[in-house]
């Protein structure tokens, strides 16, 4: 029977090609626009580390020493000594302090003077285990000090042609550093460990160096750095009120979270009691999702555009529905005839359903093509979206499903109305 | 033409009519709001910058070797760089600058009179005043003019050599701190005010009367932070000069990474790229929406009115002229457009409120609404006309035919 | 075969109520051929539509082939229509862009027959009405009489127990009308039960049993000698 319904649907499409092409085209445009927007939205709102995104927490400490400050909310960066305190708590499963810097580096043996720019993560060694960074060769840093480095895949390609460079050395500012590990290509969307200041969709780092080494070398902060009373160099900033380190902790159980929160609050209270800061105790643990929400990682412009594309899709459905109303009105007498000859209402509804599915499938296929086109347009207009403009299979599937749904929605009322008419009236 | 008959016939097809009215309203709402966004962005970009955008070239670079950790060495290269760039043809002035105007965030600090710290809580912008560390000729390079006091010159000491540094601030900052009093010779947390220069756009996100800035005379030589050289060049020489910069700088010292060479005009445009991009997306959507609504108007006339062939045939048989029929169909469309436009006011406001939750957007105004109405009216009328004309061709003889 | 007891059908509009059928009772046995006559607007079509399960009734009892139709679901009614009833309309109601084959095929599809069975039945039905050779024609390529024969074939293909015809010759000239009537008589001889609404007194007289409806009520009910046309002329004279 479904076969017959499909045949009838095809016949119906052939009967009114103009009308159906209008229906299909409007639905396809509407769904295409929405799907491309969904693709952007989903890749912005994606979970970069689903296996433990709810157990990784960004730590914000409120220890700004100055009362006349705009920072009623805790800063997202901490001082060196606060970070050391947090690192030594012994409560989290893993905990890291890191900041981003930039260095120029080359192979120690290279004759050429050309150095490669490397976005560099100065970090404590837990970083790799906490972020599940994928190693191609070697191992992670063994401590926050020393002259070891881990290379990102891209930089290893540039310096060592992609070979296993573990044991080789790179030069930075005239000093040698031993490569102890090389990462596989590593894409994080968003880059959860550093999403602040609109940087969530930047690539992962090229180079990973021990935190203390970077500070000793005066490698500057490529990111937020706030000071109250200090403007000297990195190396001597450790005891001062310079806020620049990001803190992340892996807390696997609720009990662990509670005791860690307790620990932070006690520490803040101690500082406050010692007169080091005047602010209310306000320390925040935010997991990856909460942190992304707080930072508004999903582009607000995109959300604004989502509103518009949804309205547009509604308009498209209205249009299709209005067209189909005309079509089903014309079909009323034929439907009456079918009923008179023994087709049940259910059978005619099923027939309408098949037709809607057929229309939806065609519109859906077209919509997928269009969504690709819209996405290309979006990237031209908003080049920042380039890194996230991906049409994942899931989005394609959803787009297709939405096309089917809109076809069904547009068919619903016209079909119901045509089917409601009494047979005898139609058969006059 | 009988308005009652019109309304009756619309009510007869109320679902289709209602859908079309809703569509027109939504289209109108979206078109108005997209136009607002476009106009907003345009107004932002047209805003007076307060400096000579068209004559400026920027090169950004970072040293790649550890040798530049030695400040004296870095400075000597810096001075050679500036001398080299100044000698290029068409270049009238070159300055080093730690950060550019027109940007978000950056190198900022609080600025207050020492005895008025509470002002920081009242005026948020005072906490994030951009600090510019630059060559003494930066005012000439940017084209800022002196309002009061004096500018820096060759003889001015470097900031790092002063106990309390001399600073030059912008007019709006001086006014905020000192009101009608003169700021010259006063001490603030940032130093001694020696000069006041005209305002310019530092952070476009801030209101016009809060374009604060603080200048120091300092040859900043920090190897971790991209160095900016600002070149003032005759506009017609911008491109040729831009092509020379990399080689010129590398000939001074090769161990540098020339990050980017661009004009201030480009910098300005890039700053608004996202806003413009969003306007572009909305424009595409508006055009599509107008097309879809035009299809709807067409379809409404084509399929719903054309279906009343017999009735129209009877009208014709009873003496209605072709023009009457044409007018009848058009009038029906106009009535729908009118209803859609009334509903459109509500939709327009709703969309505006919805969008203002995500982005900055001005309130709609009557003029824009009227303009959008005209667009929707014209595009709808055009797409209705063809089927209306075809309907008017229905011969009277249809009336006597059984369907 | 068919039994109506005190059936009423009332059409309500804003201003008036029309008793299209008023306390109407009739039984038809298997194998009968009944002609229904009456002035225009008297309720003939209403009766036929109710008999054919195309329309509801307000009061009374109606059973077909021993099944009471009261309270049956749409699915069950459709099933009955499809299996037990064949309908023939005044204006044929063929689908213009379907071939004769596809037109006859339509009710069989809803019955759920397989392809072979459908093909057999379609060919047989078109054979019976003498149009088997034109299976792939479109209705527009046929005369009115031929179109009505296709409609009859469509009704026959489901091998219904009851054929209902609402003025089947109303749109036909006399020659074509005669051909259609002959076909109906043949079908009746082969065992089909037929109820036919007609305006034509001659046609009515050629049918063994006549029912006249006026104002929704049966006013005359007689049985003719089926073989003799002259006898029916006499009784017509008697009436007058
Ligand atoms: N759908 C309807 N709504 C209102 N009145 C109807 C409807 N259908 C039929 N009627 C009325 O019912 C009466 C019987 O109609 P019908 O059975 O079609 O008569 P016939 O077929 O004998 O000419 C007529 O008066 C007619 O006006
Ligand atoms: Mg009738």
């Amino acid at each position: 029977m479904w076969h017959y319904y499909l045949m009838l649907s095809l016949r119906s499409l052939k009967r009114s090609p103009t009308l159906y092409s209008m229906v299909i085209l409007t639905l396809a445009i509407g769904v295409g626009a929405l799907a491309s927007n969904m693709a952007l939205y989903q890749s912005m709102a994606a979970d970069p580390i689903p296996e433990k995104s709810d157990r990784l927490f960004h730590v914000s400490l409120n220890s700004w020493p100055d009362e006349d400050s705009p920072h009623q909310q805790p800063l997202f960066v901490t001082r060196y000594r606060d970070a050391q305190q947090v690192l030594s708590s012994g409560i989290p499963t893993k905990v890291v302090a890191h900041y981003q810097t930039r260095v120029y580096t080359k192979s120690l043996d290279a004759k050429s003077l050309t150095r490669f720019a490397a976005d560099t993560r100065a970090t404590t060694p837990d970083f790799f285990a906490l972020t599940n960074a994928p190693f191609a060769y070697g191992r992670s840093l063994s401590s926050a000090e020393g002259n070891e480095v881990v290379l990102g895949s891209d930089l290893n390609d540039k310096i060592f042609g992609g070979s296993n460079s573990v044991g080789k050395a790179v030069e930075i500012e005239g000093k040698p550093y031993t490569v102890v590990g090389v990462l596989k290509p590593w894409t994080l969307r968003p880059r959860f460990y550093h999403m602040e200041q609109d940087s969530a969709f930047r690539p992962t780092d090229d180079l990973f160096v021990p935190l203390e080494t970077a500070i000793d070398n005066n490698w500057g902060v490529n990111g937020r750095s706030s000071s109250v009373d200090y403007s000297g160099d990195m190396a001597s900033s450790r005891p001062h009120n310079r806020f620049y380190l990001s803190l992340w902790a892996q807390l696997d159980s609720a009990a662990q979270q509670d005791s860690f929160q307790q620990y932070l609050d006690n520490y803040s209270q101690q500082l406050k009691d010692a007169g080091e800061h005047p602010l209310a105790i306000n320390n925040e643990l935010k997991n990856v999702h909460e942190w992304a929400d707080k930072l508004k990682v999903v582009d607000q412009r995109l959300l604004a555009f989502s509103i518009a594309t949804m309205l547009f899709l509604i308009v498209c459905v209205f249009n299709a529905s209005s067209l189909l109303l005309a079509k089903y009105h014309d079909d009323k007498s034929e439907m009456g005839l079918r009923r008179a000859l023994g087709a049940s209402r259910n059978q005619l509804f099923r027939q309408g359903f098949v037709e809607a599915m057929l229309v939806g499938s065609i519109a859906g296929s077209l919509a997928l093509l269009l969504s690709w086109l819209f996405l290309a347009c979006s990237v031209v207009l908003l080049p920042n979206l380039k890194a996230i403009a991906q049409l994942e299979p899931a989005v394609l599937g959803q787009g297709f499903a939405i096309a089917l749904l809109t076809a069904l929605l547009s068919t619903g009322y016209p079909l119901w109305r045509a089917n409601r008419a009494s047979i005898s009236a139609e058969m006059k | 033409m009988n308005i009652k008959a019109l309304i009756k016939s619309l009510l007869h097809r109320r679902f289709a009519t209602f859908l079309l009215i809703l569509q027109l309203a939504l289209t109108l709402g979206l078109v108005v709001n997209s136009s607002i966004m476009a106009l907003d962005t345009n107004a932002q970009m047209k805003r007076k910058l307060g400096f000579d955008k068209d004559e400026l070239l920027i090169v950004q670079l970072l040293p790649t070797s550890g040798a530049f950790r030695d400040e004296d060495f870095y400075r000597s290269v810096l001075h050679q760089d500036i001398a080299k760039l100044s000698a290029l043809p068409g270049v009238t002035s070159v300055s080093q600058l730690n950060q550019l105007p027109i940007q978000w965030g950056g190198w900022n600090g609080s600025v207050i009179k020492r005895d008025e710290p509470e002002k920081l809580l009242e005026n948020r912008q005072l906490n994030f005043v951009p600090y510019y560390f630059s060559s003494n000729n930066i005012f000439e390079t940017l084209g800022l003019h002196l309002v009061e006091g004096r500018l820096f010159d060759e003889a001015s000491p470097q900031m790092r050599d002063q106990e309390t540094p001399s600073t030059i601030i912008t007019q709006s900052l001086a006014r905020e701190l000192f009101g009608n009093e003169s700021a010259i010779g006063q001490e603030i947390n940032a130093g001694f005010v020696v000069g006041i220069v005209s305002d310019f756009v530092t952070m476009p996100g801030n209101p016009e009367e809060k374009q604060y800035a603080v200048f120091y005379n300092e040859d900043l030589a920090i190897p971790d932070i991209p160095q900016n050289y600002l070149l003032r060049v005759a506009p017609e020489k911008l491109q040729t000069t831009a092509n020379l910069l990399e080689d010129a700088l590398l000939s001074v010292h090769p161990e540098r990474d020339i990050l980017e060479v661009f004009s201030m005009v480009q910098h300005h445009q890039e700053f608004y790229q996202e806003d413009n991009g969003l306007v572009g997306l909305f424009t595409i959507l508006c055009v599509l929406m107008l097309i879809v609504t035009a299809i709807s108007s067409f379809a409404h006339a084509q399929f719903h009115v054309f279906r009343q062939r017999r009735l129209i045939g009877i009208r014709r048989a009873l003496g209605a002229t072709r023009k009457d029929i044409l007018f009848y169909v058009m009038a029906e469309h106009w009535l729908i457009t009118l209803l859609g436009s009334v509903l459109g006011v509500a939709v327009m406001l709703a969309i505006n409120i919805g969008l203002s939750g995500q982005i900055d957007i001005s309130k709609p105004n009557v003029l824009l609404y009227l303009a959008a109405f005209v667009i929707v009216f014209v595009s709808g009328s055009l797409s209705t006309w063809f089927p209306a004309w075809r309907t008017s061709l229905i011969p009277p003889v249809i009336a006597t035919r059984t369907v | 075969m068919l039994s109506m007891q005190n059936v009423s059908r009332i059409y309500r509009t804003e201003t008036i109520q029309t008793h299209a059928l008023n306390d109407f009772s009739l039984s038809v046995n298997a194998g009968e051929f009944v002609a229904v006559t009456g002035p225009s607007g008297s309720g003939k079509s209403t009766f036929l539509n109710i008999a054919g399960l195309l329309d509801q009734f307000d009061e009374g009892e109606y059973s077909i082939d021993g099944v009471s139709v009261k309270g049956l679901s749409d699915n069950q009614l459709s099933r009955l229509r499809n299996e037990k009833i064949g309908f023939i309309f005044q204006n044929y109601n063929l689908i213009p862009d379907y071939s004769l084959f596809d037109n006859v095929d339509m009710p069989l599809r809803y019955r759920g027959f397989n392809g072979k069975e459908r093909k057999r039945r379609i060919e047989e039905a078109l054979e019976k009405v003498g149009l088997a050779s034109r299976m792939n024609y479109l209705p527009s390529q046929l005369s009115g009489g031929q179109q009505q024969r296709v409609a009859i074939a469509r009704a026959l293909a489901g091998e219904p127990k009851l054929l209902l015809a609402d003025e089947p010759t109303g749109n036909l000239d006399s020659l074509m009308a005669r051909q259609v009537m002959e076909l109906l008589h043949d079908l009746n001889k082969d065992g089909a039960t037929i109820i036919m609404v007609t305006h034509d007194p001659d046609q009515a007289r050629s049918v063994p049993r006549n029912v006249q409806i006026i104002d929704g009520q049966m006013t005359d009910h007689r049985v003719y000698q089926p073989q003799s046309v002259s006898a029916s002329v006499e009784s017509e004279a008697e009436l007058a």
Side-chain angles (χ1 to χ4, degrees), chain B residues 244-273:
Chain B
L244 300 174
L245 294 182
E246 176 153 8
D247 288 345
L249 289 168
L250 292 182
S251 75
V252 173
H253 195 292
E255 289 184 305
R256 265 99 61 85
D257 184 9
I258 311 298
L259 299 171
E260 223 183 333
V261 176
F262 52 97
S263 67
M264 189 59 91
V265 173
Q266 282 172 305
H267 176 65
H268 181 238
Q269 267 166 2
E270 232 157 77
F271 184 85
Y272 288 106
Q273 190 174 44

Side-chain angles (χ1 to χ4, degrees), chain C residues 197-217:
Chain C
V197 170
T198 180
H199 265 116
D200 183 342
D202 286 340
Q203 251 177 36
R205 256 177 263 120
S206 74
V207 171
R209 185 174 167 197
N210 276 16
V211 171
Q212 190 180 42
I213 302 178
I214 293 176
D215 284 344
Q217 283 181 317

Side-chain angles (χ1 to χ4, degrees), chain B residues 140-214:
Chain B
E140 182 196 337
T141 310
L142 280 175
L144 304 181
H145 63 266
L146 182 67
V147 175
E148 204 185 339
R150 61 175 174 84
L151 297 177
F152 299 131
D153 57 27
E154 297 290 338
S156 302
Q158 293 286 306
M159 178 205 188
R160 62 184 175 280
D161 299 329
Q162 296 167 276
E163 181 80 26
T164 306
S166 306
T167 172
I168 291 176
I169 62 178
T170 54
Q171 205 170 2
S172 57
L173 182 55
R175 202 178 302 129
E176 172 66 24
L177 295 178
F178 298 99
N180 293 327
E181 233 176 290
S182 169
I184 302 299
Q186 304 269 18
E187 192 185 339
I188 55 176
N189 70 331
F192 272 122
V193 180
V194 298
I196 297 169
V197 290
S198 53
D199 277 349
F200 66 105
V201 175
T202 56
M203 293 193 223
N206 289 350
E208 210 150 327
E209 71 284 1
K210 292 189 174 178
Q211 293 300 336
Y212 306 147
V214 172

Side-chain angles (χ1 to χ4, degrees), chain B residues 156-338:
Chain B
S156 302
Q158 293 286 306
M159 178 205 188
R160 62 184 175 280
D161 299 329
Q162 296 167 276
E163 181 80 26
T164 306
S166 306
T167 172
I168 291 176
I169 62 178
T170 54
Q171 205 170 2
S172 57
L173 182 55
R175 202 178 302 129
E176 172 66 24
L177 295 178
F178 298 99
N180 293 327
E181 233 176 290
S182 169
I184 302 299
Q186 304 269 18
E187 192 185 339
I188 55 176
N189 70 331
F192 272 122
V193 180
V194 298
I196 297 169
V197 290
S198 53
D199 277 349
F200 66 105
V201 175
T202 56
M203 293 193 223
N206 289 350
E208 210 150 327
E209 71 284 1
K210 292 189 174 178
Q211 293 300 336
Y212 306 147
V214 172
F215 284 94
Y216 295 107
N217 182 33
E218 170 78 4
D219 303 339
L220 207 65
I222 303 176
D224 298 295
I225 300 166
Q227 183 69 271
N228 302 288
Y229 293 140
L230 242 68
L231 292 83
R232 192 174 178 114
V233 190
E236 68 277 9
K237 288 253 172 71
L238 270 178
Q239 194 50 53
T240 43
T241 310
N243 295 337
L244 300 174
L245 294 182
E246 176 153 8
D247 288 345
L249 289 168
L250 292 182
S251 75
V252 173
H253 195 292
E255 289 184 305
R256 265 99 61 85
D257 184 9
I258 311 298
L259 299 171
E260 223 183 333
V261 176
F262 52 97
S263 67
M264 189 59 91
V265 173
Q266 282 172 305
H267 176 65
H268 181 238
Q269 267 166 2
E270 232 157 77
F271 184 85
Y272 288 106
Q273 190 174 44
E274 304 231 309
D275 291 327
N276 274 323
L278 192 65
V279 169
L281 285 180
F282 269 85
T283 307
I284 292 177
L285 206 63
C286 276
V287 170
L288 289 175
M289 202 129 159
L290 281 170
I291 292 175
V292 168
T293 306
I295 289 180
S296 288
S297 307
F298 170 82
H300 194 260
Q302 169 81 4
F303 300 113
H304 296 284
V305 178
F306 203 63
R307 238 173 29 206
Q308 308 178 328
R309 295 168 62 91
R310 238 171 82 81
L311 276 177
I312 287 165
I314 292 170
R315 273 169 204 273
R316 292 275 284 128
L318 296 180
T321 64
R322 280 207 176 136
K323 249 200 211 139
D324 290 338
I325 300 297
L326 191 70
F327 183 72
Y328 170 79
V329 179
M330 292 308 289
E332 197 173 293
H333 176 74
W334 290 330
L335 184 59
I336 290 175
T337 308
L338 203 69

Side-chain angles (χ1 to χ4, degrees), chain B residues 98-120:
Chain B
N98 65 319
Q99 60 182 337
L100 297 175
I102 321 177
Q103 62 177 24
W104 299 110
W107 190 324
N108 311 316
S110 58
V111 176
I112 36 162
K113 272 156 67 175
R114 294 218 186 269
D115 53 350
E116 286 184 350
E118 67 282 357
K119 259 204 148 156
L120 288 179

